[in-house]
Amino acid sequence: MTLEISNLVGGYSQVPVLKDVSFDVKDGELVGLIGLNGAGKSTTINHIIGLLTPFKGTIKINGTSLTDDVKKYKEQIAYIPEQPIVYKELTLKEHLEMTMLAYNLDQDAAWKRAHQLLKLFRLDNKLDWFPDNFSKGMRQKVMIVCAFLTDAKLFIIDEPFLGLDPLAVNDLLTLISERKKQGTSILMSTQVLETAQRNCDRFVLLHDGQVRTEGTIEELRQAFPNAGESLNDIYLTLAREGDAS
């Protein structure tokens, strides 16, 4: 079990956004974190990556919590944020070098992997450019390259498809599939439900800071037989039920 979240209560102030959230991501599994705006997806992610401290509950990666061992916990995570974060004064090459240093990667092996990733995302001729000047989609690709450069055991990917061109979306999904086969676990927050349905192994549906339901697409269909066949139909039905309750 790579990621285990148990009875998580948390948020940004005294009033909790997350209310007793529990779910897991197993080894080699892609789990889709689904929810409307304000459902608690970003808050959940910010707790996992250590930007927020839980009011109650635990978060463990391969048995280690942030309070057990900060370094061991964080070195297992690769994070791709919804809004790309780049350093104004660093070139693309320097972003990669910083990632290699942060994760203590073997330079030769890391650069070999970096060149493959740069070519895949058509950034191989931009090593001396400053990503701060790139388009949003290109900066997103920089985040993807930096993340997949690592040997992280858990990938946290927040809304990766918004802003990426169709070819880059396909390339990202291929990389995710390859890492899954290697045993890497991936939690992906997305509102692109059709793509999520095709690619995720399981889903965690958040509503109003709580896990409304979770499972494979077949399990969701069986649990809510009148909601419809697609993940989009099921989620919209559950969201409307939640608003009405």
Side-chain angles (χ1 to χ4, degrees), residues 29-209:
E29 185 177 46
L30 171 58
V31 172
L33 188 62
I34 311 298
L36 297 176
N37 294 337
K41 302 188 302 298
S42 294
T43 308
T44 300
I45 287 173
N46 284 336
H47 277 86
I48 296 170
I49 65 176
L51 291 182
L52 293 173
T53 301
F55 301 166
K56 295 179 183 176
T58 59
I59 304 171
K60 293 188 176 183
I61 300 176
N62 289 311
T64 301
S65 71
L66 199 58
T67 52
D68 292 336
D69 188 328
V70 173
K71 183 176 183 294
K72 185 178 179 182
Y73 180 94
K74 288 195 171 182
E75 69 185 6
Q76 297 186 80
I77 301 174
Y79 173 50
I80 302 175
E82 178 181 2
Q83 292 296 329
I85 302 166
V86 296
Y87 296 93
K88 191 172 184 178
E89 66 277 10
L90 298 184
T91 65
L92 174 54
K93 182 181 180 182
E94 288 167 336
H95 276 84
L96 298 174
E97 289 173 339
M98 184 177 65
T99 302
M100 292 175 196
L101 288 170
Y103 284 87
N104 196 28
L105 300 176
D106 177 81
Q107 294 283 312
D108 292 338
W111 271 115
K112 183 178 179 182
R113 189 184 303 172
H115 287 302
Q116 293 169 344
L117 290 165
L118 290 167
K119 186 174 182 180
L120 180 67
F121 287 103
R122 293 155 296 284
L123 293 170
D124 46 323
N125 64 339
K126 294 178 172 59
L127 275 171
D128 295 323
W129 293 34
F130 291 87
D132 189 55
N133 299 322
F134 289 176
S135 68
K136 198 257 185 180
M138 286 176 65
R139 283 184 281 121
Q140 227 171 324
K141 292 176 185 178
V142 173
M143 296 289 94
I144 294 168
V145 170
C146 286
F148 280 89
L149 193 59
T150 75
D151 297 312
K153 303 299 182 188
L154 173 67
F155 277 63
I156 306 292
I157 307 179
D158 192 3
E159 295 291 356
F161 306 121
L162 305 178
L164 284 184
D165 58 75
L167 185 56
V169 168
N170 184 71
D171 291 337
L172 172 58
L173 290 170
T174 299
L175 286 176
I176 288 173
S177 179
E178 289 172 354
R179 284 299 177 100
K180 276 178 55 187
K181 290 174 184 174
Q182 296 169 15
T184 302
S185 304
I186 301 157
L187 179 66
M188 180 175 72
S189 167
T190 181
Q191 291 182 334
V192 185
L193 299 187
E194 185 178 342
T195 302
Q197 181 175 332
R198 287 198 308 268
N199 293 279
C200 293
D201 300 299
R202 282 192 301 125
F203 306 91
V204 174
L205 275 62
L206 288 181
H207 186 79
D208 192 27

Side-chain angles (χ1 to χ4, degrees), residues 193 197 205 212-213 217-241:
L193 299 187
Q197 181 175 332
L205 275 62
R212 184 69 178 80
T213 189
I217 188 65
E218 282 302 324
E219 288 169 339
L220 297 184
R221 286 168 179 159
Q222 290 170 16
F224 303 93
N226 299 321
E229 286 290 305
S230 74
L231 179 63
N232 188 67
D233 290 338
I234 293 167
Y235 183 70
L236 289 177
T237 298
L238 298 185
R240 289 179 183 125
E241 283 181 4

